[in-house]
Amino acid sequence: QVQLVESGGGLVQAGGSLRLSCAASGSILGINAMGWYRQAPGKQRELVAAIFSGGSTHYADSVKGRFTISRDSAKNSVYLQMNSLKPEDTAVYYCNADQAGVREYWGQGTQVTVSS
């Protein structure tokens, strides 16, 4: 089993920055992708960014140029650097891990609130 623990959320003014962290523990072998999703009240959960085993990345159009996903394999951690934050970025952000396409794991979520 894999456990994911997120941190780094909080309140920030528009234009500010936050860095989210996600630490994976447990049976982490076989994890081939990790990513960040977000869900705002009344909205569907959406993919924000993902990073794959080969190092390639993917970003939602709404965050391109502002957010950067990275990983530290030695620490089994993934990060999301969020710059130039906008009120529409307000959501609960969830860390996600995919294990060989067979199992999917989720963190508990961390709240990001961006004020105007």
Side-chain angles (χ1 to χ4, degrees):
Q1 297 183 1
V2 174
Q3 294 80 45
L4 304 174
V5 179
E6 301 117 323
S7 62
L11 295 166
V12 65
Q13 293 280 338
S17 298
L18 287 172
R19 190 170 98 141
L20 305 183
S21 299
C22 174
S25 62
S27 301
I28 54 89
L29 293 178
I31 297 295
N32 56 25
M34 296 186 70
W36 291 93
Y37 288 72
R38 67 186 181 189
Q39 187 168 26
K43 306 293 184 181
Q44 299 278 52
R45 188 171 297 186
E46 64 175 346
L47 176 65
V48 176
I51 187 164
F52 304 93
S53 59
S56 61
T57 57
H58 169 83
Y59 297 95
D61 288 342
S62 60
V63 306
K64 286 181 179 177
R66 299 189 297 121
F67 291 9
T68 302
I69 189 169
S70 61
R71 67 184 179 188
D72 185 336
S73 296
K75 296 181 179 180
N76 297 316
S77 297
V78 64
Y79 308 92
L80 185 68
Q81 178 67 45
M82 305 186 293
N83 298 327
S84 301
L85 283 161
K86 304 174 180 180
E88 51 263 44
D89 295 318
T90 296
V92 177
Y93 284 70
Y94 296 91
C95 183
N96 168 268
D98 180 85
Q99 191 170 56
V102 176
R103 290 188 176 184
E104 193 173 54
Y105 301 91
W106 295 91
Q108 79 285 357
T110 184
Q111 177 71 47
V112 172
T113 302
V114 184
S115 62
S116 60

